[in-house]
Amino acid sequence: MSELPPLVFQAPVADWGWQIAWFFWFVAIGGGLAVAYWQVRRAAVAFTVFVATALGLLLVFFHLGRWWNMPLVLWELIRAGEFNLGSWMFLGVIILTVHLLLGALAAYAHAEDVGIYPPFGDRVREMTEGALFRGVFAANGVLSVVYSGFLLTQAHGIPLWGTALIPILWLISSAVAAVAVLELFYVLGLVDERVSVAGMKLALGLDALKLIAVLAFLHVSLTAMSAAARAGAEELVSGSLAWLTWGGVIGLGLAVPILLAALMLRYGKSKGLIAVSAVSSLAGVLFLRASVLLAGAWEPLLG
Amino acid sequence: MRLKPGEQPTRRLAHLWNEAACIGCAACVISCTATNNPEMLYRADEGRGGVASNIRRYEGVTAQGRPTLLLNQCAHCDEAPCMKTCPFGAVYRDENGLVRLDSRRCAGCRYCVTSCPYNARWVHPDTGLPMKCMGRGCLALVAAGQKPACVQACPANARDFGDLNDPESSVSRTLRTKRHRTLLPNSGAKPKYFIVEEV
Amino acid sequence: MAKLDHAALGRRAALGGLTAAGAAAVLLAEGWADAAQLFTTGIPDRDTLNRAGFDLRHTSCLSCSALCGLTALVRLNPRPGERPFVLFGNQDPNHPQRGMCGRGATAAQTWDSPLRLRKPLKRIGPRGSGRFEEISWEQAFDEIAERMRALIAAHGIRALCFTGHIVIDMDEGQWLPLGLGAPNVIAHHSTCNTPGTVARRWVLGAPYAGPPTVDPDFEHARFILFPGRTLHAPIGHQFLLAKAKAKGAKVAFLNPAHPEAAFANGEWIPCRPGTDAAFLLGVAHVLVRDRLYDETFLRRHTNLPFLLKPDGKPLTEADLEEGGEATTFMVFDAKGAALTDHKDRAAEPALAHESEVELKDGTRVRVETAWNRLLRHLADYTPERAAAISDTRPEVIERIARTLAELRGVVDDTWYSARNGNDADAVLAVLLVNGLLGNFDRPGGLCFRTVPGLPPAISRAPDGTVRTILGGELKLPPPGRRLDQEMFPETNATFEAVVKSVVDGDAAYAIRGLFLIDATLFARDPNTRRIQEMLAKLDLVVVTDILHQEVCDWADYVLPSDWIIERSSLHTMIWSLAPAVARGTAVTDPPPGAEVRPLSWISFQILRRLYPDRAAALGWQPEFEDVNTFKRAFLAAIEERQIAALAQRWRLDPAWLREELLRKGYHRFGPITYGTVPYERAPPTPSGKVELYAFHPVLRGLRETGFPRHVEPDAYTLPSRADEFVLVSGKSPAGSSAVAGLAFSSQFLADNAVWMNPEDARRLGIRDGETVELSGLDTGWQARTRIRVTARVHRGVLFAYSYVGGHRQKLLSRLEGFDRLARGVNSHWFATARIDRTTGAAANNASVRVRKLA
Ligand code: SF4
Ligand code: SF4
Ligand code: SF4
Ligand code: SF4
């Protein structure tokens, strides 16, 4: 009740909020599915990687306060020939652009699956089926997700984000997202049951991992040296963002899928429940990103 | 002038704020806006819910229960995180050791805003540019060999600005003779905003 | 010019024009870069600067009433949309009253504020509705003059009252009331300095009554205790104090709320409101107990050796012999071991003495020196008891007393002191402690101002004759006594007398018309409901101001006057102990579209309609219809004469003086003088001494004792329940003034929440940021406000900045971004209008009950 050190959250100032959360979410899906593509070489997967990455890039582009200045920025960069390779965001832009291109190639290769026969379709398909392409694609998928985590860890102003748990959380949850999308594909008849069964077991394991990671993140933050990290974690656990943590991340994102999976393992599968579980997981992945973003605050300078 | 990687600035200009002299009058806060962003005189910085100034004012109490005040602004860090993170190199160091912005290269991603350990930046509602000390008004003052607006505004002699590389500068002399500190010394940023603790 | 790195902190060398010039370059958005180059090569002279399109102009700050020195960088031909100037404090380190604080810094916002009055307004809705139409100056003058004519014809000129804040005391504010022969010019003092002014008059004599006439010598002080005062104005004193602090000076603030100035290494002694006298009497107790007083000073220069009768009145010659003088006081001559008259130069008056004397009627009475009586008086104020009353700690009282004695410190004699209704005693106690320390008129002590002798532009002689400095003369009968001084003979101005006359009909006659000159009544005067009632009842209300203050909504006519930065000005540097004047040059034109006029021109326009002959006698000429001609031919001539008079008085070349004033913005005619009063010049008190025992109020029957004592605050009902508090108001250096309080930035930099101590908050279960309801224990006024829980306010006390909260002018709801000005409270909603009958002082503090909202 007495004076707390003034805490300034980043969201009202830097505005890294829901739009960035959606961006991260699309990256998680695009990255996770690129890994899945190693195994599941389906049109739906390729298309989704491409579309998710494109949407993510669009979101982040229009999140720029000065997107209209981009031409000048590029021109100045090229003119000066200086690139800030030390910036995760710059690297990220490259990684995501590459991912978009790889996704485009994969989608191109699958065009005939949807009845379109573009030129050089066969050649492209041949290439994308190769281990090299799939390896690069998967690796770049992992990189995009890792990047979106490191982006936060390098934002030195926000101590809550300064933990290596974030890239790990991002990776795990990106896998959760990819599996959830695959399950949805199964429900929609876009992939076969084999994938789905494997997915369900995998999903349970991933959910367990994710739960551990989320709790570890909260624990680490609650006991951190940094007052801002502690205060942010408190917001997540019992403050104004608790609904997001308990309802969104834990409830929707973990409890519901785990419960449904347990039910289905016991009583048999149901497409309806699978769909609910998958959507719920995907929402959880989004909420996880949003909660971490919104809880970010600067270290109080007084106190 | 933008320094090339590895190049050393000729001067290392720095701000001092004397917490033992400051009477919290906010003249510096308001003058900063009037000099650097007169277009914001009747508009709030909505993001931080305050005056659109490069100086921010915080109040608190010490562990002993004594009310304290802190004025903060960009520290022109020697290892400025905002410079490292800007994807387009829009943030740079100049020959005076000041951390500057090339607005032509800024796309408004606000990574510099979240990268600053000192929360020194705010976002201009019209241009989307990340703002901080020093604004263009004060830069012109300094270019003209003058003290920045906040230093001129201060009625209590609580502020100074000068070259750390020059041992004879008033700031160097103050730092040699008076107890002082920087904020979050473990931030790794090597800030150059010095809080002097005795008059 | 001090180059960037060679100006020492503490000696910010002669930046003078320079710095400013550099800045000039800047500010002005476009083109600043070119201009900046101008200044890299050296000191530009004015011509170079002008050729480059810039100028440097000194002015004075009227963001509060202290008139600190400012310097503006001016763009000579601003393009549309460019701001034409920027302001800093005058950078001359030797300036005796250098700006600027946060309020001064808001001047750039005030100039073209959306709240700036731009055209004459005529009310079209009921009073208070804030509905106006814009009218021409012609129409405004014609109609106002017509209504004044009717009012004067029916009720006489005494039914018209002029009130104001600072401007009414300056030349500009005098033309109309003096030209009309109006007796009732009643300024704001009772809500500000009256307790201190009256107390100083009693102890030191009339010339040393006003707040600026006596002050600590800040620059050379070693320790200053500030009871109640924040020293947030004049901020120029802070610059002097900064120099003293650099040499080791210490400061302490005795105050229920923590003042911003205390952030600067100041000790804050939180206390219960209205108990400064008790605290200081505790200090006096220690000084006397431990023999830490200056005995020689007390014996020679104070009236403590004077003999008192049992009734507390001084023993005079008239008591002892037929035909004896009632103004000759008796002392005991230690050398001759006999009573003698206080003017006896050969005598050595004893400090301690007690004996029985025979009065002329044969009765025998015991008499004792005031000193003896003081010893008994102080016996009641042990540090323990003083601490218990003031809710401080005895150790602190002991320590402050010792520090004052050891460092030869000084206790500030206050500026704004009208707080609790018992404040005159606090200032008497301040003067008592300073007297015990013997630290009057010595470096670092309580010193007396030397005025430069700037002649006023217009003045009224006791016989009623009005004269102008340009030779104008107007014979009028003496105006008679002011209404407020009829009621409160000691006051320097008590506006409540006017309110009483209108609202209660409780006066010799009623005021019918009110002329408000920069008078923000709602922020200035206690008990808002009464003020509203008065405003609703008056026959005529005219306001001149620069901003749309809340009171404008109640006016029949609102006249926009120009502001100090839009005109030239020449005035005494009020707060300088050394004789100095400041001269300001118009920094800028009024903002585009503002038809604002000098107050003196407005006055003449009304006067010439009512009494053309009087206007002519005071110097009005038909060509002055053109306001620029008026400024050039009339106002400039006045300034010329004033400068000539100053030059003559100080034996200077007028041309040189004028040039010097232009170059530096001020001139100091000499140093602070020490050792004069009371050593070489006797204070004009009844006894000719520093009257630590005030004779005047005792002789007049106003008080039983001439010593300060603690009495409980009587301006409001004292809180008695757990949810009742004293609501104290005070000034923020970032926004508390009538002008700065309406600045955009004040919404953020001067908190408009009500402060509550964490202990109280915990007890009442109120959280920081929570909204509560306050209701006045005396006025019943109810209002909601946000609470800020902070250790910066003493337990049992609520604190709110004055001027920054609770603005109710209707205009605010129509202005984007100014809505926060309406939040918070105006402490005058809750304050009573009880007047201390002995001094005529009002009180700004109040008591309220706090209700937590469900
Ligand atoms: S204080 Fe912040 S904005 Fe300034 S240089 Fe350091 S990191 Fe950058
Ligand atoms: S907002 Fe501009 S300056 Fe800041 S990091 Fe982004 S591009 Fe760089
Ligand atoms: S102007 Fe000086 S005294 Fe006022 S707040 Fe700024 S640093 Fe403090
Ligand atoms: S104290 Fe501040 S507002 Fe008042 S005159 Fe001085 S600078 Fe202006």
Side-chain angles (χ1 to χ4, degrees):
Chain A
M1 219 148 24
S2 73
E3 283 154 296
L4 293 168
L7 202 65
V8 186
F9 286 90
Q10 64 76 26
V13 184
D15 192 26
W16 284 21
W18 281 97
Q19 195 168 340
I20 294 292
W22 280 102
F23 158 65
F24 285 171
W25 187 74
F26 280 119
V27 171
I29 290 173
L33 283 181
V35 177
Y37 189 77
W38 176 267
Q39 198 65 47
V40 191
R41 288 193 297 281
R42 295 294 145 79
V45 175
F47 288 148
T48 308
V49 171
F50 175 68
V51 171
T53 309
L55 283 176
L57 275 169
L58 266 179
L59 275 180
V60 81
F61 181 79
F62 286 108
H63 183 260
L64 293 174
R66 296 164 56 80
W67 55 265
W68 37 266
N69 190 44
M70 220 38 201
L72 183 59
V73 171
L74 290 176
W75 163 248
E76 285 293 326
L77 281 183
I78 292 163
R79 198 177 60 93
E82 286 171 5
F83 302 95
N84 191 1
L85 296 174
S87 165
W88 263 101
M89 191 178 284
F90 184 75
L91 296 178
V93 170
I94 295 172
I95 293 168
L96 286 181
T97 311
V98 168
H99 206 58
L100 185 71
L101 291 176
L102 295 176
L105 274 178
Y108 198 93
H110 287 282
E112 62 176 58
D113 298 358
V114 291
I116 300 169
Y117 299 89
F120 310 111
D122 289 348
R123 299 263 288 281
V124 174
R125 181 160 201 137
E126 209 171 290
M127 183 188 87
T128 58
E129 276 176 355
L132 179 64
F133 176 85
R134 283 184 294 137
V136 169
F137 196 31
N140 203 61
V142 172
L143 258 181
S144 349
V145 176
V146 170
Y147 139 72
S148 71
F150 271 118
L151 182 73
L152 293 188
T153 62
Q154 296 308 298
H156 285 292
I158 314 296
L160 179 74
W161 300 346
T163 158
L165 276 171
I166 285 187
I168 294 173
L169 247 182
W170 264 212
L171 268 180
I172 298 171
S173 59
S174 148
V176 168
V179 171
V181 172
L182 289 178
E183 300 210 310
L184 273 182
F185 287 170
Y186 160 70
V187 173
L188 295 172
L190 298 174
V191 297
D192 49 41
E193 193 170 355
R194 195 172 40 85
V195 173
S196 149
V197 172
M200 245 170 69
K201 298 219 177 95
L202 185 59
L204 253 183
L206 283 172
D207 283 344
L209 262 182
K210 187 178 159 199
L211 183 62
I212 293 168
V214 167
L215 294 178
F217 170 72
L218 290 176
H219 175 74
V220 164
S221 306
L222 280 172
T223 54
M225 287 283 288
S226 148
R230 285 199 308 271
E234 272 160 27
E235 283 298 307
L236 289 173
V237 173
S238 53
S240 62
L241 295 171
W243 65 276
L244 207 54
T245 315
W246 300 114
V249 181
I250 307 280
L252 269 184
L254 290 165
V256 170
I258 291 176
L259 210 75
L260 291 180
L263 276 179
M264 285 190 280
L265 283 178
R266 177 101 192 243
Y267 300 108
K269 280 196 315 199
S270 133
K271 281 203 173 179
L273 290 187
I274 291 178
V276 171
S277 157
V279 170
S280 189
S281 280
L282 281 169
V285 173
L286 175 67
F287 289 142
L288 173 67
R289 280 153 177 74
S291 64
V292 170
L293 283 168
L294 295 178
W298 277 279
E299 190 65 12
L301 298 172
L302 254 189
Chain B
M1 196 188 68
R2 177 191 283 264
L3 294 186
K4 297 256 155 3
E7 224 178 327
Q8 287 305 310
T10 43
R11 297 199 291 179
R12 285 172 69 234
L13 296 181
H15 278 276
L16 305 190
W17 170 69
N18 190 322
E19 67 176 0
C22 172
I23 54 164
C25 75
C28 51
V29 181
I30 301 167
S31 295
C32 172
T33 306
T35 306
N36 297 298
N37 297 97
E39 76 285 0
M40 295 300 289
L41 277 178
Y42 302 116
R43 290 168 70 190
D45 162 23
E46 295 297 344
R48 300 192 296 192
V51 177
S53 174
N54 298 332
I55 304 173
R56 290 203 75 190
R57 189 192 136 107
Y58 303 91
E59 265 185 41
V61 277
T62 62
Q64 295 76 38
R66 191 187 143 89
T68 65
L69 176 77
L70 171 68
L71 297 185
N72 189 45
Q73 62 205 60
C74 171
H76 298 281
C77 308
D78 278 344
E79 298 288 341
C82 60
M83 222 169 108
K84 285 189 207 140
T85 54
C86 173
F88 310 115
V91 182
Y92 67 95
R93 186 178 311 285
D94 76 2
E95 72 280 14
N96 292 316
L98 299 174
V99 174
R100 305 267 301 267
L101 179 75
D102 180 350
S103 60
R104 292 168 308 175
R105 282 205 196 182
C106 174
C109 66
R110 308 186 283 284
Y111 202 6
C112 53
V113 179
T114 53
S115 300
C116 171
Y118 303 102
N119 187 11
R121 292 175 178 263
W122 55 282
V123 180
H124 197 289
D126 296 339
T127 61
L129 286 171
M131 312 298 286
K132 68 172 190 69
C133 171
M134 313 187 60
R136 74 178 166 191
C138 287
L139 282 169
L141 277 176
V142 170
Q146 309 299 322
K147 299 269 183 187
C150 53
V151 180
Q152 294 201 44
C154 180
N157 232 347
R159 290 180 166 272
D160 198 9
F161 179 77
D163 185 6
L164 301 175
N165 279 354
D166 172 2
E168 285 316 304
S169 71
S170 54
V171 290
S172 297
R173 270 184 283 135
T174 304
L175 293 180
R176 263 203 308 280
T177 54
K178 294 194 174 138
R179 209 170 57 233
H180 61 272
R181 67 177 192 276
T182 57
L183 293 168
L184 309 179
N186 300 325
S187 72
K190 300 201 182 143
K192 295 204 299 277
Y193 178 66
F194 296 96
I195 299 175
V196 182
E197 296 173 339
E198 53 192 358
V199 283
Chain C
M1 154 166 130
K3 274 289 185 180
L4 189 55
D5 295 319
H6 303 290
L9 188 77
R11 258 179 308 118
R12 200 184 292 148
L15 299 183
L18 284 235
T19 309
V26 173
L27 3 169
L28 307 166
E30 278 149 65
W32 54 268
D34 320 343
Q37 289 170 5
L38 263 175
F39 307 109
T40 51
T41 47
I43 302 174
D45 56 41
R46 228 187 183 83
D47 290 343
T48 320
L49 204 56
N50 291 169
R51 273 199 302 280
F54 295 95
D55 199 5
L56 176 78
R57 295 178 193 163
H58 302 293
T59 182
S60 299
C61 176
L62 253 187
S63 285
C64 78
S65 58
L67 290 158
C68 299
L70 301 182
T71 297
L73 304 150
V74 178
R75 176 180 273 283
L76 293 173
N77 302 301
R79 276 168 280 190
E82 266 177 349
R83 293 191 72 82
F85 67 93
V86 78
L87 287 164
F88 294 124
N90 186 314
Q91 298 289 302
D92 184 340
N94 298 315
H95 194 294
Q97 198 192 321
R98 226 193 90 143
M100 70 185 182
C101 67
R103 282 163 304 201
T106 63
Q109 301 166 47
T110 301
W111 173 68
D112 66 344
S113 166
L115 282 152
R116 185 80 197 262
L117 295 167
R118 286 158 204 263
K119 298 251 165 67
L121 301 176
K122 179 182 180 179
R123 185 167 55 80
I124 51 175
R127 288 219 179 106
S129 66
R131 298 221 313 274
F132 292 100
E133 61 176 351
E134 289 183 355
I135 56 172
S136 69
W137 277 105
E138 276 305 302
Q139 185 187 344
F141 291 141
D142 288 345
E143 292 186 18
I144 292 170
E146 202 41 57
R147 292 179 62 175
M148 285 171 72
R149 196 190 321 277
L151 198 147
I152 295 168
H155 308 285
I157 184 64
R158 67 180 192 172
L160 201 57
C161 173
F162 292 80
T163 190
H165 206 117
I166 178 74
V167 175
I168 196 149
D169 289 337
M170 297 167 72
D171 283 345
E172 301 87 301
Q174 300 286 315
W175 293 97
L176 188 55
L178 265 49
L180 290 171
N184 286 315
V185 183
I186 304 177
H188 65 290
H189 302 301
S190 64
T191 61
C192 176
N193 64 68
T194 295
T197 298
V198 172
R200 275 184 300 264
R201 192 191 319 119
W202 289 346
V203 175
L204 301 169
Y208 311 115
T213 55
V214 183
D215 251 327
D217 174 15
F218 293 104
E219 189 171 351
H220 304 102
R222 295 159 296 267
F223 174 70
I224 312 183
L225 172 68
F226 292 97
R229 189 162 179 200
T230 57
L231 206 67
H232 293 160
I235 216 67
H237 282 170
Q238 286 287 356
F239 192 71
L240 302 180
L241 195 54
K243 293 185 190 178
K245 283 180 177 172
K247 288 180 273 170
K250 295 277 177 287
V251 293
F253 298 87
L254 176 67
N255 205 315
H258 174 272
E260 277 76 356
F263 281 128
N265 249 4
E267 176 180 2
W268 173 43
I269 308 167
C271 64
R272 188 164 72 88
T275 62
D276 294 2
F279 185 96
L280 290 164
L281 286 163
V283 169
H285 177 103
V286 176
L287 292 177
V288 168
R289 185 197 65 198
D290 296 352
R291 302 190 154 271
L292 296 172
Y293 51 87
D294 181 338
E295 191 177 335
T296 316
F297 180 85
L298 295 181
R299 225 162 12 82
R300 292 212 186 132
H301 305 295
T302 75
N303 65 347
L304 290 186
F306 286 42
L307 293 168
L308 303 179
K309 295 181 290 182
D311 63 1
K313 296 204 167 106
L315 181 71
T316 67
E317 206 182 43
D319 290 318
L320 299 174
E321 54 197 65
E322 282 310 327
E325 290 281 346
T327 51
T328 299
F329 305 99
M330 305 309 292
V331 295
F332 181 77
D333 177 14
K335 212 164 46 180
L339 295 198
T340 180
D341 117 33
H342 81 280
K343 290 174 198 144
D344 178 355
R345 291 190 159 259
E348 263 182 26
L351 206 48
H353 177 76
E354 192 182 338
S355 60
E356 214 175 64
V357 297
E358 189 179 311
L359 303 184
K360 64 189 176 194
D361 61 4
T363 53
R364 295 189 69 80
V365 294
R366 282 208 77 78
V367 294
E368 61 179 339
T369 57
W371 168 258
N372 275 21
R373 177 138 332 175
L374 179 65
L375 298 185
R376 270 193 289 123
H377 185 73
L378 290 180
D380 285 348
Y381 294 97
T382 59
E384 289 70 25
R385 176 153 179 271
I389 295 172
S390 55
D391 200 8
T392 56
R393 286 179 296 135
E395 320 74 276
V396 175
I397 294 177
E398 300 262 1
R399 174 167 53 76
I400 293 288
R402 277 197 309 279
T403 312
L404 279 166
E406 279 160 19
L407 297 180
R408 201 122 209 215
V410 58
V411 186
D412 181 87
D413 63 314
T414 75
W415 174 359
Y416 152 54
S417 51
R419 298 164 193 271
N420 302 291
N422 62 355
D423 311 284
D425 279 282
V427 184
L428 289 175
V430 165
L431 296 168
L432 174 65
V433 171
N434 283 311
L436 290 170
L437 296 167
N439 200 7
F440 274 99
D441 221 13
R442 292 187 165 137
L446 202 59
C447 293
F448 297 88
R449 179 180 69 168
T450 310
V451 286
L454 177 71
I458 177 168
S459 56
R460 176 156 67 192
D463 69 355
T465 306
V466 178
R467 292 193 179 82
T468 77
I469 193 173
L470 296 178
E473 192 176 289
L474 175 59
K475 287 250 182 277
L476 291 175
R481 215 166 143 81
R482 270 167 31 197
L483 184 67
D484 61 323
Q485 286 178 330
E486 297 266 8
M487 288 187 203
F488 310 105
E490 297 292 314
T491 193
N492 51 345
T494 301
F495 187 74
E496 173 62 16
V498 176
V499 187
K500 272 190 201 302
S501 85
V502 179
V503 174
D504 310 330
D506 180 16
Y509 57 90
I511 295 295
R512 306 274 173 169
L514 191 58
F515 225 100
L516 296 149
I517 299 172
D518 289 1
T520 56
L521 287 196
F522 290 110
R524 189 190 86 172
D525 291 69
N527 203 330
T528 303
R529 196 167 282 130
R530 277 172 71 77
I531 298 292
Q532 284 177 189
E533 237 176 277
M534 173 198 70
L535 288 167
K537 274 191 173 174
L538 286 162
D539 295 347
L540 175 67
V541 181
V542 180
V543 168
T544 67
D545 213 315
I546 55 165
L547 294 176
H548 195 114
Q549 299 284 353
E550 186 177 338
V551 75
C552 293
D553 280 6
W554 295 78
D556 303 323
Y557 298 91
V558 179
L559 306 179
S561 50
D562 63 7
W563 200 29
I564 192 159
I565 61 170
E566 295 151 0
R567 59 170 185 259
S568 58
S569 57
L570 179 66
H571 61 85
T572 299
M573 197 177 291
I574 321 176
W575 293 94
S576 165
L577 287 172
V581 296
R583 185 189 175 278
T585 311
V587 165
T588 170
D589 286 333
E595 291 174 23
V596 300
R597 299 287 181 266
L599 190 53
S600 44
W601 186 83
I602 295 173
S603 303
F604 266 116
Q605 286 284 10
I606 295 173
L607 187 65
R608 79 160 180 84
R609 281 168 168 80
L610 286 168
Y611 304 104
D613 51 327
R614 294 191 192 180
L618 294 180
W620 177 260
Q621 293 178 22
E623 61 267 30
F624 292 170
E625 283 297 330
D626 173 47
V627 66
N628 289 322
T629 311
F630 176 78
K631 287 193 205 172
R632 253 195 332 268
F634 190 69
L635 296 183
I638 289 174
E639 188 184 282
E640 205 53 44
R641 279 292 312 135
Q642 289 177 314
I643 292 177
L646 283 169
Q648 192 182 4
R649 160 148 192 195
W650 296 94
R651 291 168 216 262
L652 298 168
D653 171 17
W656 178 87
L657 180 57
R658 198 176 314 111
E659 192 44 45
E660 185 73 354
L661 288 170
L662 187 68
R663 197 170 66 82
K664 285 175 23 196
Y666 77 96
H667 184 67
R668 206 176 76 156
F669 296 95
I672 305 179
T673 50
Y674 301 107
T676 310
V677 187
Y679 314 100
E680 288 172 5
R681 197 184 314 145
T685 52
S687 64
K689 303 283 178 188
V690 172
E691 291 197 356
L692 298 185
Y693 184 88
F695 282 171
H696 174 87
V698 176
L699 290 169
R700 283 293 193 94
L702 295 168
R703 292 172 61 99
E704 275 158 22
T705 172
F707 287 131
R709 70 256 192 269
H710 169 74
V711 286
E712 283 296 308
D714 56 4
Y716 44 83
T717 303
L718 292 177
S720 57
R721 294 177 14 180
D723 57 353
E724 292 175 357
F725 292 82
V726 178
L727 173 64
V728 167
S729 67
K731 311 263 196 293
S732 153
S736 285
S737 80
V739 175
L742 290 178
F744 182 83
S745 57
S746 300
Q747 301 181 103
F748 303 98
L749 295 169
D751 184 12
N752 57 20
V754 170
W755 299 2
M756 182 184 275
N757 181 279
E759 245 175 66
D760 295 321
R762 211 170 302 126
R763 194 182 65 239
L764 299 179
I766 292 170
R767 278 194 317 262
D768 187 47
E770 201 167 319
T771 300
V772 301
E773 185 182 79
L774 302 188
S775 42
L777 294 190
D778 297 296
T779 67
W781 190 293
Q782 293 192 330
R784 292 185 172 197
T785 178
R786 196 166 51 84
I787 290 286
R788 173 177 167 206
V789 177
T790 170
R792 289 185 64 193
V793 63
H794 193 46
R795 56 182 170 246
V797 179
L798 300 181
F799 176 82
Y801 285 127
S802 49
Y803 292 104
V804 300
H807 294 280
R808 299 181 304 158
Q809 48 273 63
K810 302 285 185 292
L811 179 61
L812 289 181
S813 59
R814 303 198 296 272
L815 293 182
E816 204 186 321
F818 285 80
D819 50 310
R820 286 180 179 84
L821 290 178
R823 298 188 200 164
V825 299
N826 172 349
S827 60
H828 289 133
W829 297 340
F830 313 105
T832 69
R834 278 179 220 160
I835 301 296
D836 172 7
R837 300 218 69 94
T838 55
T839 61
N844 290 299
N845 291 348
S847 49
V848 293
R849 181 169 303 132
V850 176
R851 193 166 67 88
K852 203 172 137 66
L853 295 174

